[in-house]
């Protein structure tokens, strides 16, 4: 890769990272590409060099967040014993939530955005995670794999709410 193409890749990553922060902090509808550019320490026209619309920027930001979850889950699935699978998937998600809190907040917001492209990205993200977890639970021999997958996903959503609202008691488990 040439120096210029590597610089472009890095700038694109910087813009997406800035967008994730801005969208998570003030919401998609209040955010502007000017605010994203300011956060990324670049000019607004440079944002448009990579993303034709704010919606396209949100789409990429969401795809980054879904990819992070899928990669983390796949890494767990490839390396842990079946009896540790669910616990390790939960732990992986908790690590993501702690390390990438803005991505979690962004996904939560995106669930309410009624733009077709964003709905499609969110649908694909949930479907992909559902499929990866379901297949892993089936391969691990879990009884009622579909139900366990649904409960696993519901628990993840409750984790999101717990984190976003600072209500940790929602996640307390019986000893």
């Amino acid at each position: 890769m040439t120096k210029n193409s590597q610089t472009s890749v890095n700038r694109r990553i910087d813009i997406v990272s800035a967008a994730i922060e801005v969208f998570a902090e003030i919401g998609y509808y209040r955010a502007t590409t000017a605010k994203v550019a300011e956060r990324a320490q670049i000019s607004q026209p440079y944002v448009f060099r990579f993303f034709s619309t704010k919606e396209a920027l949100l789409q990429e930001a969401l795809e980054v967040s879904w990819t992070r979850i899928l990669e983390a889950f796949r890494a767990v699935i490839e390396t842990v014993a079946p009896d540790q699978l669910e616990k390790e998937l939960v732990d992986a998600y908790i690590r993501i939530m702690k390390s990438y809190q803005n991505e979690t907040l962004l996904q939560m917001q995106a669930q309410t955005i009624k733009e077709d492209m964003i709905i499609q990205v969110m649908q694909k993200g949930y479907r992909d995670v559902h499929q990866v977890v379901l297949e892993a639970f089936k391969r691990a021999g879990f009884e009622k794999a579909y139900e366990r997958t649904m409960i696993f996903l519901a628990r993840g959503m409750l984790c999101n709410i717990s984190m976003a609202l600072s209500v940790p008691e929602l996640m307390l488990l019986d000893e």
Side-chain angles (χ1 to χ4, degrees):
M1 189 176 290
T2 67
K3 184 179 179 183
N4 284 342
S5 62
Q6 185 59 47
T7 300
S8 289
V9 168
N10 290 342
R11 280 317 223 176
R12 186 179 184 90
I13 291 168
D14 292 344
I15 293 167
V16 171
S17 296
I20 289 168
E21 290 177 13
V22 171
F23 293 153
E25 289 171 11
I26 64 174
Y28 172 71
Y29 290 109
R30 288 183 39 217
T32 63
T33 54
K35 288 179 183 177
V36 171
E38 181 182 335
R39 181 70 58 95
Q41 299 178 334
I42 59 171
S43 68
Q44 184 180 18
Y46 200 67
V47 171
F48 286 113
R49 178 176 171 213
F50 294 96
F51 302 97
S52 59
T53 64
K54 183 173 77 166
E55 185 180 59
L57 181 53
L58 176 60
Q59 177 184 358
E60 177 121 355
L62 289 167
E63 288 170 354
V64 164
S65 68
W66 285 115
T67 298
R68 187 177 319 283
I69 294 168
L70 288 165
E71 287 176 355
F73 283 4
R74 286 181 179 124
V76 167
I77 291 164
E78 291 172 8
T79 59
V80 302
D83 65 328
Q84 291 296 306
L85 180 61
E86 190 167 12
K87 177 198 175 305
E88 292 299 324
L89 286 171
V90 169
D91 290 347
Y93 189 68
I94 289 170
R95 284 190 298 275
I96 289 169
M97 285 179 55
K98 287 180 180 178
S99 297
Y100 301 96
Q101 184 174 358
N102 283 336
E103 289 180 15
T104 304
L105 294 171
L106 179 63
Q107 282 189 357
M108 292 176 71
Q109 289 180 37
Q111 294 175 81
T112 66
I113 296 173
K114 298 303 177 197
E115 310 283 341
D116 287 341
M117 183 188 319
I118 303 310
I119 291 170
Q120 290 169 11
V121 170
M122 292 302 291
Q123 288 172 336
K124 182 180 183 326
Y126 277 113
R127 285 181 177 131
D128 289 349
V129 169
H130 181 271
Q131 188 64 35
V132 165
V133 173
L134 176 61
E135 291 303 316
F137 284 2
K138 285 179 177 179
R139 278 193 307 277
F142 286 16
E143 289 186 34
K144 298 184 178 182
Y146 285 95
E147 184 177 334
R148 293 274 296 268
T149 300
M150 181 184 66
I151 291 168
F152 177 83
L153 294 176
R155 183 176 178 191
M157 295 180 99
L158 187 58
C159 285
N160 295 349
I161 293 166
S162 174
M163 180 268 302
L165 298 178
S166 298
V167 187
E169 60 270 21
L170 294 178
M171 295 312 302
L172 295 177
L173 299 174
D174 292 330
E175 297 294 319

